[in-house]
């Protein structure tokens, strides 16, 4: 008898994640009476990010100086290939443009990956979860809803760690998570918001960022070395260094590289130190220490090597939103006095799943 | 017409940080589920999830090889290959669906995959117990 009753729950209404590809699932979900096309989750994403290619590319609201970064790299490398390489191939070896080319491609790919991937954005708490956090039971046993305390202490491997409450995302931030005000998202293992790449650097794109700055240091040093060699060879064979400098447009990469190589090398060195000591830039400058929360220094969980092995996004940008007349019309048993209607709509739309696996989530029916 | 069950409550199983920042969930049985499901069954589900997450985060030789290969190819290898972690996440999604179909749905409960909540909580939705009203 009991089983018969529960068969009335429509499996379609139950938000179990299915591995079907988004387009097909979207067509299934699009009800006949729904004239509008099914919207993708990125269209209602509450943070300040921008999306391109139908949700495949995610960037911060302000692209910062990413065009400048790209421009400098392209111009410097272009000038190097056009003016210095022919001379060096003739006088030295033809491996030079090959090495330069490989480094250049590495730098470009990792830069684009750093800028266009999700840095580790945590999906915001759903209204139900937010209400659950805010629910506090007082002495008489009556439940009331008050803003939760700003911090919560947890014991992580016998070390006391304070978890802060994020008023925007309505959740207690997991350890090492920080809220980026520029992107308006909580980012896991938040390192910093990098204007040069126009995106936050966090858990999921740190390895792209690290590879980018290391390969950029190699590229800059390589170009610097090659251009210096070129000019030195020209100066020897010709009328002196000054003439060589004036004559060749290859001097421009030299200038750019000279000024940037020190800061880039410095940054690479700094981040290598951070990786080795399992810190983020944010933690390096803040007072709370997370060293040792995963056991002693010899524990493998402490090694930042993990960050190079982690590759998935928790926000499903391309998943489809559940249709308006979603079968799960949440009954009004749970009161949400602290949430304004507008943010409720946004938070409802922010039900995310693993990338490429669409999963409609029970939501109040006012999402559209 | 399809009859929709009303949601009575939602229970959130929090993360268990006692052994570090690895993804583990608390196995403590919530009181709201007392008359819905066996404590044993629930703990088994959560333990299975914990084991799968531990497997996903395990640093084995496969992960190192994957990482090195990825680094050498400027991470472009992930355009055609799935990481070990992603494979386990798919396994977890399948497991949760199975558990929902076999055990939780017949009892008017629904497990939500923690990945949808940023690996912060396991959300269990409790539906109205129609068998009591009829």
């Amino acid at each position: 008898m009991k089983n018969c009753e529960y068969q009335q729950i429509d499996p379609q209404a139950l938000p179990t994640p299915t591995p079907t590809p988004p387009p097909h699932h979207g067509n299934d979900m699009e009800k006949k009476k729904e004239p509008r096309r099914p919207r993708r989750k990125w269209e209602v994403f509450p943070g300040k990010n921008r999306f391109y290619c139908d949700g495949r590319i995610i960037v911060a609201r302000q692209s910062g100086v990413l065009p400048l970064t790209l421009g400098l790299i392209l111009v410097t490398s272009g000038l190097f290939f056009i003016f210095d390489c022919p001379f060096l191939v003739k006088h030295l070896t033809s491996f030079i443009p090959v090495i330069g080319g490989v480094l250049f491609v590495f730098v470009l790919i990792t830069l684009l990956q750093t800028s266009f991937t999700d840095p580790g954005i945590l999906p915001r708490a759903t209204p139900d979860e937010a209400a659950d956090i805010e629910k506090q039971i007082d002495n008489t046993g009556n439940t009331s809803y008050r803003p939760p305390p700003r911090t919560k202490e947890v014991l992580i491997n016998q070390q006391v760690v304070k978890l802060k409450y994020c008023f925007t995302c309505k959740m207690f931030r997991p350890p090492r998570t920080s809220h980026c005000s520029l992107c308006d998202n909580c980012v896991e293992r938040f390192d910093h918001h990098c204007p040069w790449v126009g995106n936050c650097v966090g858990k999921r794109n740190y390895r792209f960022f690290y590879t980018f700055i290391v390969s950029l240091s190699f590229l800059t040093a390589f170009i610097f070395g090659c251009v210096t060699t070129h000019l030195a060879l020209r100066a020897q064979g010709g009328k002196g260094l000054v003439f060589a400098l004036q004559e060749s447009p290859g001097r421009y990469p030299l200038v750019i590289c000279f000024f940037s190589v020190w800061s880039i090398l410095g940054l690479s060195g700094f981040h290598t130190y951070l990786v080795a000591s399992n810190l983020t830039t944010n933690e390096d400058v803040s007072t709370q220490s997370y060293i040792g929360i995963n056991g002693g220094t010899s524990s493998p969980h402490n090694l930042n090597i993990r960050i190079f092995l982690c590759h998935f996004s928790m926000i499903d940008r391309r998943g489809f939103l559940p249709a308006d007349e979603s079968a799960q019309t949440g009954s009004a048993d749970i009161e949400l006095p602290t949430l304004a209607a507008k943010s409720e709509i946004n938070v409802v739309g922010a039900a995310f799943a693993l990338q490429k696996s669409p999963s409609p989530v029970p939501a109040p029916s006012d999402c559209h | 017409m399809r009859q929709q069950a009303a949601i009575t409550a939602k229970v959130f199983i929090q993360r268990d940080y006692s052994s570090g920042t690895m993804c583990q969930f608390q196995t403590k049985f919530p009181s709201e589920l007392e008359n819905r499901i066996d404590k044993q069954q629930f703990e088994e589900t959560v333990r299975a999830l914990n084991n799968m997450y531990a497997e996903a985060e395990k640093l084995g030789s496969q992960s190192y090889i994957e990482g090195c290969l990825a680094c050498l190819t400027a991470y472009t290898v992930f355009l055609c290959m799935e990481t070990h972690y992603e494979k386990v996440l798919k396994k977890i999604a399948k497991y949760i669906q199975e558990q929902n179909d076999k055990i939780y749905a017949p009892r008017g409960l629904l497990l939500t995959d923690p990945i949808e909540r940023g690996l912060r909580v396991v959300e269990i939705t409790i539906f109205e117990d129609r068998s009591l009203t009829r």
Side-chain angles (χ1 to χ4, degrees):
Chain A
M1 194 58 80
K2 196 172 174 182
N3 280 338
C4 282
E5 291 299 324
Y6 291 112
Q7 272 163 22
Q8 287 172 11
I9 297 173
D10 182 13
Q12 194 72 33
L14 294 178
T16 46
T18 52
T20 53
H24 297 115
H25 204 261
N27 290 333
D28 287 339
M29 285 162 61
E30 192 177 339
K31 307 236 187 330
K32 297 261 163 34
K33 44 200 165 185
E34 181 82 283
R36 278 177 283 135
R37 64 170 181 82
R39 290 169 72 190
R40 293 203 190 252
K41 290 176 183 171
W42 64 262
E43 297 179 55
V44 295
F45 186 76
K48 285 186 192 162
N49 296 85
R50 287 181 294 166
F51 297 88
Y52 299 105
C53 291
D54 201 18
R56 290 182 182 88
I57 290 176
I58 176 172
V59 293
R61 167 161 295 221
Q62 296 130 3
S63 56
V65 293
L66 174 65
L68 176 67
T69 312
L70 269 172
L72 275 174
I73 293 171
L74 289 170
V75 164
T76 312
S77 310
L79 285 172
F80 167 73
F81 285 121
I82 296 169
F83 295 109
D84 298 289
C85 278
F87 183 89
L88 289 168
V89 164
K90 206 164 40 160
H91 289 83
L92 282 180
T93 166
S94 53
F95 275 123
I96 289 180
V98 172
I99 298 172
V102 168
L103 282 172
F104 173 69
V105 165
F106 239 76
V107 165
L108 263 190
I109 292 178
T110 47
L111 170 62
L112 294 175
Q113 283 172 332
T114 313
S115 304
F116 297 149
T117 53
D118 166 28
I121 297 171
L122 273 179
R124 295 190 181 183
T126 54
D128 300 311
E129 195 186 336
D132 190 67
I133 295 173
E134 288 166 6
K135 189 164 70 173
Q136 285 158 46
I137 310 210
D138 62 24
N139 308 355
T140 60
N142 294 327
T143 55
S144 63
Y145 290 91
R146 293 192 293 275
R150 296 206 56 180
T151 59
K152 176 167 93 165
E153 284 185 1
V154 290
L155 211 61
I156 300 181
N157 223 359
Q158 281 96 50
Q159 187 178 328
V160 175
V161 172
K162 278 207 177 87
L163 300 186
K164 292 199 185 136
Y165 183 73
C166 181
F167 286 95
T168 316
C169 304
K170 301 220 182 296
M171 60 182 181
F172 279 99
R173 282 182 219 131
R176 313 187 79 172
T177 304
S178 198
H179 191 93
C180 175
S181 47
L182 285 164
C183 304
D184 205 25
N185 294 311
C186 268
V187 177
E188 274 194 295
R189 206 194 216 117
F190 180 72
D191 195 272
H192 65 286
H193 183 99
C194 186
W196 295 97
V197 303
N199 199 5
C200 288
V201 176
K203 188 176 184 182
R204 318 245 175 255
N205 68 348
Y206 188 78
R207 56 193 188 157
F208 303 131
F209 178 73
Y210 184 75
T211 316
F212 166 63
I213 55 174
V214 167
S215 47
L216 186 63
S217 340
F218 280 124
L219 179 69
T220 320
F222 181 75
I223 293 181
F224 187 65
C226 287
V227 174
T228 313
T229 314
H230 173 201
L231 291 171
L233 289 174
R234 239 185 226 271
Q236 267 178 1
K239 297 158 190 157
L241 183 62
V242 174
F243 188 76
L245 274 171
Q246 278 175 341
E247 186 186 62
S248 166
R251 65 184 182 273
Y252 298 114
L254 184 72
V255 171
I256 298 171
C257 288
F258 179 76
F259 287 112
S260 51
V261 72
W262 314 113
S263 41
I264 294 169
L265 273 173
L267 191 65
S268 304
F270 174 62
H271 276 279
T272 309
Y273 152 72
L274 287 180
V275 169
S277 49
N278 195 18
L279 286 173
T280 64
T281 309
N282 202 33
E283 288 159 11
D284 194 54
V285 301
S286 78
T287 49
Q288 170 134 284
S289 167
Y290 292 101
I291 295 174
I293 55 172
N294 278 319
T297 46
S298 58
S299 161
H301 300 304
N302 249 356
L303 295 176
N304 253 5
I305 300 295
R306 302 192 149 267
I307 58 173
F308 294 101
L309 304 173
C310 180
H311 186 81
F312 63 94
S313 174
M314 287 205 273
I315 57 170
D316 176 22
R317 305 188 288 274
R318 290 179 42 81
F320 286 96
L321 282 175
D324 280 356
E325 40 274 65
S326 166
Q328 284 300 331
T329 47
S331 58
D333 301 273
I334 300 169
E335 247 183 63
L336 302 169
T338 53
L339 288 177
K342 183 166 181 275
S343 63
E344 195 171 307
I345 290 169
N346 282 337
V347 173
V348 152
F352 298 112
L354 176 65
Q355 196 172 13
K356 294 195 195 98
S357 76
S359 12
V361 181
S365 59
D366 54 351
C367 96
H368 57 265
Chain B
M1 282 305 287
R2 219 186 308 133
Q3 265 184 306
Q4 309 306 333
I7 298 174
T8 315
K10 287 194 184 187
V11 185
F12 297 94
I13 312 295
Q14 300 292 331
R15 281 275 292 269
D16 175 16
Y17 289 116
S18 57
S19 39
T21 54
M22 276 181 56
C23 184
Q24 301 279 286
F25 291 97
Q26 292 177 358
T27 48
K28 187 167 103 47
F29 188 64
S31 53
E32 292 94 332
L33 298 177
E34 246 156 43
N35 50 355
R36 292 295 193 117
I37 194 168
D38 278 335
K39 185 173 170 192
Q40 195 91 358
Q41 187 67 64
F42 169 80
E43 278 177 15
E44 202 185 291
T45 308
V46 180
R47 270 203 203 104
L49 282 176
N50 285 343
N51 287 337
M52 285 196 263
Y53 281 116
E55 187 200 324
E57 292 184 28
K58 192 175 67 145
L59 286 178
S61 56
Q62 196 205 345
S63 342
Y64 282 122
I65 294 171
E66 214 174 67
C68 287
L69 181 68
C71 202
L72 290 173
T73 60
Y75 306 103
T76 49
V77 76
F78 293 128
L79 290 170
C80 32
M81 192 179 96
E82 236 179 20
T83 62
H84 170 66
Y85 203 108
E86 280 174 333
K87 287 188 189 128
V88 180
L89 283 178
K90 283 210 167 126
K91 207 169 98 174
I92 291 171
K94 214 164 124 196
Y95 174 76
I96 290 178
Q97 186 167 7
E98 242 174 71
Q99 290 282 294
N100 273 331
D101 290 337
K102 290 195 199 138
I103 299 166
Y104 290 84
R107 291 174 172 76
L109 298 171
L110 180 73
L111 287 178
T112 303
D113 196 335
I115 197 74
E116 295 181 35
R117 299 286 177 267
L119 292 180
R120 283 194 319 269
V121 287
V122 177
E123 186 180 301
I124 304 180
T125 313
I126 305 174
F127 292 98
E128 196 187 310
D129 195 349
R130 292 265 172 83
S131 63
L132 295 176
T133 53
R134 294 275 170 110

